[in-house]
Structures are given as structure tokens and as C-alpha cells.
Amino acid sequence: MIALTGVRPTGELHLGNYFGAIKPLLDLQEKYVIFLFVADLHSLTTSCDIDTIKGNSQKLLAAFRALGFDPQKTIIWVQSEIPEVCELMYILSALTGFQYLHKGHAFKTACLENKNPTVALFLYPVLMAADILAFQADLVPVGVDQKQHLEICRDLAEKLRNMFGVETKIPEPLIMESTCAVPGVDGRKMSKSYKNTLPIFASVDEIVSIVRQVKTDSTPLGSPLNLENSVLGSYIKLLSKPEDYEKIKKEALAGNYGWGKIKEFVIELFLSKFSYAREKYVELLSDPAELWNQATEGAKIAKERARDFLGSILKRLNSHV
Ligand code: ADP
Ligand code: TRP
């Protein structure tokens, strides 16, 4: 069984990416073969600044490994190393109605905001379906923002089956209720595009400065603070054991903590949770050649699987393939 996910190299990996996609994948390591990739082609819909994409891809490769994915056991690669995915996208696009894709939320939002969206943005959900179906993944851990993309992927898998008679898995999304929508420091969804993130590998000074700047209400010191439904409270909930969160919540409600103290808790918990990964990250980034070589090895294995699946479709079309 295969669990697969991808992250776009549009910026630094953040707490939302970690809890929405990376942590659930880490937890599946015992039972699934893990496929994890840097979705560099997908990031072209955000920016075509090639050097930045390359730099971010390298950082993501280091981040995946620093957070606990062993390249000997996990298949890690960079999307653009496997062009079979784009071939599959073309076939899937022939099964996708234009009107149907118009409902895609990223495209719809870009149109509403008059952003002159590209054809690639329109096709984003089809490329994502190809990312998943090419490797015949069983389970796809993602944040809740990707729910619609997974539905489109499942629909396209059904169409491949019904219209081409191809044997295919219908992948299941894994959207964890407690971690699928981590708020950003401004209260909106945490996202690289909103510049409201807590980047896992930022310097200590940056983390301290980001957390200190989180806006809080003006509850006077000594008055009850309700951590539920607050951004800082949700970080403490994610980063600590449930019993520790309950203790902090109770003390805050009793008026024993001000927001300053709560911010200190967030900083401490964040830095201690990721202390090992943060050290490992620096070490890994000091040898970029090794990072890329390992990704190329991963791509070779993943590519074979994509070839098999693509071949099974092309054979229906042309038995000489
Ligand atoms: P971003 O929105 O920051 O650009 P990506 O689009 O690269 O992040 O997302 C990579 C993965 O992380 C996806 O599975 C996505 O659903 C998940 N994710 C992104 N932001 C969050 C969040 N705030 N909470 C939970 N999961 C998230
Ligand atoms: N679209 C995802 C995002 O924006 C990233 C992604 C690309 C992905 N291909 C995927 C996630 C395949 C899971 C499976 O976050």
C-alpha cells in the first residue's frame, strides 16, 4: 500500500504543512510505502522565478529528510524529474469537462480577483490527479484546502476505469480533523501565499519575532484568558501533549497567564519540538549534491511505477506501445 503527498516549493515549509501533510505521512511509515515529492511544476502557477523554485526545492528536500523521512525507506523525488506525470495529465485532461474544471477553487478565485490566471492554473487539479494516479497511491494525506482536488482526482480515476477500461485505484484522502486547517499568525489559513506562516526552519530570532507580533486582545493581566479559538492557543494545542494543553488552558482561564507568557510557551514548545530537525536540516543543506542525488535515486523508482501505469493506458489506445 502506498501513501503519497506533495508540497510546492513556493517558500519555506511551515507548521501548517507539517501538521496537515507531513506528520500524518510520518505516522503512516510502518504500514505504507511512503512516496513524497517536491511539486515544482505546480509552483509554476505561483511564480516562474526558476532560481527561487530550485532553491526552495533543495530546502524542501532537506526539510523532508530532517523531519524524519529516511531516503532508504521513503521514495523522495522532485516532480519535474518524471515527465510521465505530464503525459498522464494530458490523457486525464481529455476526460475532464471544461465546465467541470471551472469549479476549481484556485482558478475561480484568481478569476474573481482579476488575476489573469494561466492555463496551467486551470489545469492544476488535473496535474494533481496525475501526480496521484501515476503512482497508484492508496492514501493521500493533505490539508482540508486540498479536499476538492482529491475529489476531482477520484472522479478522474473512475472515468479512466469506465471510459478506457483501465484498472486503477481510487485514492482516499486523509484529512485529519484536528490538524487539517492550521491558522496563520494573522488568523487566516496558514499559507506561504499569505506570508503568515511559522516556518519550521527559520532562525530563532525570526520565530521569536513572528510569535511576539501575533495580535492579541487587550485582556488585562490577571483577567481570564480563553485559549480556545485563539491562534496562540491552537499552536499550544498542536505542539503539546493534551494534558499539558489542558493545564495551560486552565491556568490561563484562572487569570494566571497574560498573552506575553502564552507567547513564551509557543516559542518554547515550537523550538523544542523541532530542535533535532532544525539541527539536522542545517547539516543536510551543507551537502546539496547528496540531497539531489538521493532525489534522483527516488525518481528512478517512482518513474518505473509511473511508466507501468501510463503503459497500461497507452496500450488500450495503441497495442504496439
Ligand atoms: P501553502 O498553502 O503554504 O503554499 P502547499 O500548497 O504547498 O502550502 O501545501 C502542502 C500541503 O500542506 C498540502 O497538503 C496542504 O493541504 C497542506 N497545508 C498547507 N497549509 C496548511 C494549513 N494551514 N493547515 C493544514 N494543512 C496545510
Ligand atoms: N496541490 C497541493 C498543494 O497545493 C500540492 C500537491 C501537488 C499535492 N500534487 C499533489 C498534494 C499530490 C498531494 C498529492 O498543497
PDB file of all heavy atoms in Angstrom, residues 191-210:
ATOM      1  N   SER A 191      -0.540  29.935   5.178  1.00  0.00           N
ATOM      2  CA  SER A 191      -0.153  29.598   3.813  1.00  0.00           C
ATOM      3  C   SER A 191       1.038  30.448   3.387  1.00  0.00           C
ATOM      4  O   SER A 191       1.120  31.636   3.735  1.00  0.00           O
ATOM      5  CB  SER A 191      -1.318  29.856   2.856  1.00  0.00           C
ATOM      6  OG  SER A 191      -0.868  29.717   1.531  1.00  0.00           O
ATOM      7  N   LYS A 192       1.925  29.817   2.614  1.00  0.00           N
ATOM      8  CA  LYS A 192       3.081  30.564   2.107  1.00  0.00           C
ATOM      9  C   LYS A 192       2.594  31.763   1.318  1.00  0.00           C
ATOM     10  O   LYS A 192       3.192  32.829   1.348  1.00  0.00           O
ATOM     11  CB  LYS A 192       3.937  29.667   1.208  1.00  0.00           C
ATOM     12  CG  LYS A 192       4.593  28.536   1.961  1.00  0.00           C
ATOM     13  CD  LYS A 192       5.279  27.582   0.991  1.00  0.00           C
ATOM     14  CE  LYS A 192       4.961  26.139   1.221  1.00  0.00           C
ATOM     15  NZ  LYS A 192       4.444  25.431   0.071  1.00  0.00           N
ATOM     16  N   SER A 193       1.460  31.600   0.599  1.00  0.00           N
ATOM     17  CA  SER A 193       0.974  32.696  -0.239  1.00  0.00           C
ATOM     18  C   SER A 193       0.505  33.889   0.593  1.00  0.00           C
ATOM     19  O   SER A 193       0.478  35.003   0.085  1.00  0.00           O
ATOM     20  CB  SER A 193      -0.193  32.250  -1.122  1.00  0.00           C
ATOM     21  OG  SER A 193      -0.184  30.894  -1.336  1.00  0.00           O
ATOM     22  N   TYR A 194       0.107  33.651   1.858  1.00  0.00           N
ATOM     23  CA  TYR A 194      -0.365  34.782   2.678  1.00  0.00           C
ATOM     24  C   TYR A 194       0.748  35.402   3.525  1.00  0.00           C
ATOM     25  O   TYR A 194       0.502  36.344   4.278  1.00  0.00           O
ATOM     26  CB  TYR A 194      -1.490  34.334   3.606  1.00  0.00           C
ATOM     27  CG  TYR A 194      -2.750  33.851   2.919  1.00  0.00           C
ATOM     28  CD1 TYR A 194      -3.580  32.930   3.560  1.00  0.00           C
ATOM     29  CD2 TYR A 194      -3.128  34.313   1.671  1.00  0.00           C
ATOM     30  CE1 TYR A 194      -4.742  32.467   2.957  1.00  0.00           C
ATOM     31  CE2 TYR A 194      -4.285  33.858   1.064  1.00  0.00           C
ATOM     32  CZ  TYR A 194      -5.083  32.941   1.712  1.00  0.00           C
ATOM     33  OH  TYR A 194      -6.232  32.479   1.132  1.00  0.00           O
ATOM     34  N   LYS A 195       1.934  34.805   3.458  1.00  0.00           N
ATOM     35  CA  LYS A 195       3.052  35.299   4.282  1.00  0.00           C
ATOM     36  C   LYS A 195       2.641  35.434   5.761  1.00  0.00           C
ATOM     37  O   LYS A 195       2.895  36.449   6.405  1.00  0.00           O
ATOM     38  CB  LYS A 195       3.557  36.638   3.744  1.00  0.00           C
ATOM     39  CG  LYS A 195       4.000  36.577   2.287  1.00  0.00           C
ATOM     40  CD  LYS A 195       4.928  37.696   1.939  1.00  0.00           C
ATOM     41  CE  LYS A 195       5.437  37.713   0.522  1.00  0.00           C
ATOM     42  NZ  LYS A 195       5.165  36.633  -0.371  1.00  0.00           N
ATOM     43  N   ASN A 196       2.003  34.402   6.261  1.00  0.00           N
ATOM     44  CA  ASN A 196       1.541  34.429   7.663  1.00  0.00           C
ATOM     45  C   ASN A 196       1.945  33.145   8.372  1.00  0.00           C
ATOM     46  O   ASN A 196       1.214  32.619   9.186  1.00  0.00           O
ATOM     47  CB  ASN A 196       0.013  34.580   7.688  1.00  0.00           C
ATOM     48  CG  ASN A 196      -0.684  33.387   7.039  1.00  0.00           C
ATOM     49  OD1 ASN A 196      -0.026  32.488   6.505  1.00  0.00           O
ATOM     50  ND2 ASN A 196      -1.999  33.353   7.098  1.00  0.00           N
ATOM     51  N   THR A 197       3.138  32.650   8.010  1.00  0.00           N
ATOM     52  CA  THR A 197       3.495  31.311   8.470  1.00  0.00           C
ATOM     53  C   THR A 197       4.462  31.313   9.650  1.00  0.00           C
ATOM     54  O   THR A 197       5.125  32.316   9.928  1.00  0.00           O
ATOM     55  CB  THR A 197       4.175  30.508   7.335  1.00  0.00           C
ATOM     56  OG1 THR A 197       5.462  31.062   7.088  1.00  0.00           O
ATOM     57  CG2 THR A 197       3.362  30.558   6.048  1.00  0.00           C
ATOM     58  N   LEU A 198       4.525  30.166  10.310  1.00  0.00           N
ATOM     59  CA  LEU A 198       5.605  29.870  11.250  1.00  0.00           C
ATOM     60  C   LEU A 198       6.492  28.857  10.527  1.00  0.00           C
ATOM     61  O   LEU A 198       6.180  27.660  10.516  1.00  0.00           O
ATOM     62  CB  LEU A 198       5.030  29.219  12.508  1.00  0.00           C
ATOM     63  CG  LEU A 198       4.591  30.112  13.644  1.00  0.00           C
ATOM     64  CD1 LEU A 198       4.091  29.275  14.813  1.00  0.00           C
ATOM     65  CD2 LEU A 198       5.748  30.996  14.107  1.00  0.00           C
ATOM     66  N   PRO A 199       7.570  29.323   9.882  1.00  0.00           N
ATOM     67  CA  PRO A 199       8.415  28.387   9.123  1.00  0.00           C
ATOM     68  C   PRO A 199       9.221  27.516  10.086  1.00  0.00           C
ATOM     69  O   PRO A 199       9.860  28.032  11.005  1.00  0.00           O
ATOM     70  CB  PRO A 199       9.331  29.303   8.313  1.00  0.00           C
ATOM     71  CG  PRO A 199       8.839  30.701   8.525  1.00  0.00           C
ATOM     72  CD  PRO A 199       8.060  30.715   9.796  1.00  0.00           C
ATOM     73  N   ILE A 200       9.173  26.201   9.840  1.00  0.00           N
ATOM     74  CA  ILE A 200       9.801  25.263  10.783  1.00  0.00           C
ATOM     75  C   ILE A 200      11.300  25.532  10.933  1.00  0.00           C
ATOM     76  O   ILE A 200      11.850  25.337  12.006  1.00  0.00           O
ATOM     77  CB  ILE A 200       9.628  23.802  10.275  1.00  0.00           C
ATOM     78  CG1 ILE A 200       8.182  23.508   9.895  1.00  0.00           C
ATOM     79  CG2 ILE A 200      10.199  22.790  11.255  1.00  0.00           C
ATOM     80  CD1 ILE A 200       7.302  23.072  10.977  1.00  0.00           C
ATOM     81  N   PHE A 201      11.957  25.973   9.833  1.00  0.00           N
ATOM     82  CA  PHE A 201      13.420  26.064   9.879  1.00  0.00           C
ATOM     83  C   PHE A 201      13.930  27.510   9.900  1.00  0.00           C
ATOM     84  O   PHE A 201      15.089  27.757   9.587  1.00  0.00           O
ATOM     85  CB  PHE A 201      14.021  25.276   8.705  1.00  0.00           C
ATOM     86  CG  PHE A 201      13.637  23.825   8.760  1.00  0.00           C
ATOM     87  CD1 PHE A 201      12.659  23.316   7.909  1.00  0.00           C
ATOM     88  CD2 PHE A 201      14.200  22.976   9.697  1.00  0.00           C
ATOM     89  CE1 PHE A 201      12.278  21.981   7.975  1.00  0.00           C
ATOM     90  CE2 PHE A 201      13.831  21.642   9.779  1.00  0.00           C
ATOM     91  CZ  PHE A 201      12.868  21.143   8.913  1.00  0.00           C
ATOM     92  N   ALA A 202      13.067  28.451  10.284  1.00  0.00           N
ATOM     93  CA  ALA A 202      13.528  29.848  10.380  1.00  0.00           C
ATOM     94  C   ALA A 202      14.464  29.975  11.583  1.00  0.00           C
ATOM     95  O   ALA A 202      14.466  29.116  12.469  1.00  0.00           O
ATOM     96  CB  ALA A 202      12.325  30.764  10.547  1.00  0.00           C
ATOM     97  N   SER A 203      15.239  31.072  11.616  1.00  0.00           N
ATOM     98  CA  SER A 203      16.163  31.261  12.742  1.00  0.00           C
ATOM     99  C   SER A 203      15.355  31.503  14.018  1.00  0.00           C
ATOM    100  O   SER A 203      14.177  31.878  13.969  1.00  0.00           O
ATOM    101  CB  SER A 203      17.062  32.474  12.467  1.00  0.00           C
ATOM    102  OG  SER A 203      16.272  33.645  12.530  1.00  0.00           O
ATOM    103  N   VAL A 204      16.028  31.305  15.160  1.00  0.00           N
ATOM    104  CA  VAL A 204      15.348  31.521  16.450  1.00  0.00           C
ATOM    105  C   VAL A 204      14.827  32.955  16.518  1.00  0.00           C
ATOM    106  O   VAL A 204      13.683  33.201  16.917  1.00  0.00           O
ATOM    107  CB  VAL A 204      16.325  31.237  17.621  1.00  0.00           C
ATOM    108  CG1 VAL A 204      15.688  31.604  18.950  1.00  0.00           C
ATOM    109  CG2 VAL A 204      16.760  29.776  17.610  1.00  0.00           C
ATOM    110  N   ASP A 205      15.659  33.906  16.081  1.00  0.00           N
ATOM    111  CA  ASP A 205      15.241  35.315  16.146  1.00  0.00           C
ATOM    112  C   ASP A 205      13.967  35.549  15.342  1.00  0.00           C
ATOM    113  O   ASP A 205      13.070  36.273  15.773  1.00  0.00           O
ATOM    114  CB  ASP A 205      16.333  36.233  15.582  1.00  0.00           C
ATOM    115  CG  ASP A 205      17.475  36.367  16.566  1.00  0.00           C
ATOM    116  OD1 ASP A 205      17.342  35.849  17.695  1.00  0.00           O
ATOM    117  OD2 ASP A 205      18.507  36.967  16.184  1.00  0.00           O
ATOM    118  N   GLU A 206      13.913  34.925  14.152  1.00  0.00           N
ATOM    119  CA  GLU A 206      12.704  35.100  13.322  1.00  0.00           C
ATOM    120  C   GLU A 206      11.472  34.526  14.019  1.00  0.00           C
ATOM    121  O   GLU A 206      10.404  35.142  14.030  1.00  0.00           O
ATOM    122  CB  GLU A 206      12.874  34.367  11.988  1.00  0.00           C
ATOM    123  CG  GLU A 206      13.422  35.220  10.880  1.00  0.00           C
ATOM    124  CD  GLU A 206      13.652  34.356   9.641  1.00  0.00           C
ATOM    125  OE1 GLU A 206      14.745  33.770   9.543  1.00  0.00           O
ATOM    126  OE2 GLU A 206      12.728  34.258   8.821  1.00  0.00           O
ATOM    127  N   ILE A 207      11.629  33.329  14.585  1.00  0.00           N
ATOM    128  CA  ILE A 207      10.491  32.689  15.258  1.00  0.00           C
ATOM    129  C   ILE A 207      10.003  33.572  16.410  1.00  0.00           C
ATOM    130  O   ILE A 207       8.805  33.856  16.544  1.00  0.00           O
ATOM    131  CB  ILE A 207      10.891  31.277  15.796  1.00  0.00           C
ATOM    132  CG1 ILE A 207      11.261  30.352  14.643  1.00  0.00           C
ATOM    133  CG2 ILE A 207       9.786  30.665  16.657  1.00  0.00           C
ATOM    134  CD1 ILE A 207      10.128  30.037  13.694  1.00  0.00           C
ATOM    135  N   VAL A 208      10.969  34.038  17.200  1.00  0.00           N
ATOM    136  CA  VAL A 208      10.602  34.881  18.354  1.00  0.00           C
ATOM    137  C   VAL A 208       9.866  36.120  17.850  1.00  0.00           C
ATOM    138  O   VAL A 208       8.801  36.486  18.360  1.00  0.00           O
ATOM    139  CB  VAL A 208      11.876  35.272  19.157  1.00  0.00           C
ATOM    140  CG1 VAL A 208      11.557  36.343  20.190  1.00  0.00           C
ATOM    141  CG2 VAL A 208      12.479  34.029  19.811  1.00  0.00           C
ATOM    142  N   SER A 209      10.408  36.735  16.805  1.00  0.00           N
ATOM    143  CA  SER A 209       9.798  37.970  16.318  1.00  0.00           C
ATOM    144  C   SER A 209       8.394  37.703  15.745  1.00  0.00           C
ATOM    145  O   SER A 209       7.455  38.466  16.002  1.00  0.00           O
ATOM    146  CB  SER A 209      10.755  38.601  15.310  1.00  0.00           C
ATOM    147  OG  SER A 209      10.061  39.286  14.338  1.00  0.00           O
ATOM    148  N   ILE A 210       8.234  36.593  14.992  1.00  0.00           N
ATOM    149  CA  ILE A 210       6.908  36.298  14.411  1.00  0.00           C
ATOM    150  C   ILE A 210       5.887  36.069  15.529  1.00  0.00           C
ATOM    151  O   ILE A 210       4.782  36.628  15.511  1.00  0.00           O
ATOM    152  CB  ILE A 210       6.977  35.047  13.491  1.00  0.00           C
ATOM    153  CG1 ILE A 210       7.840  35.309  12.259  1.00  0.00           C
ATOM    154  CG2 ILE A 210       5.581  34.613  13.065  1.00  0.00           C
ATOM    155  CD1 ILE A 210       8.097  34.083  11.381  1.00  0.00           C
TER     156      ILE A 210
END
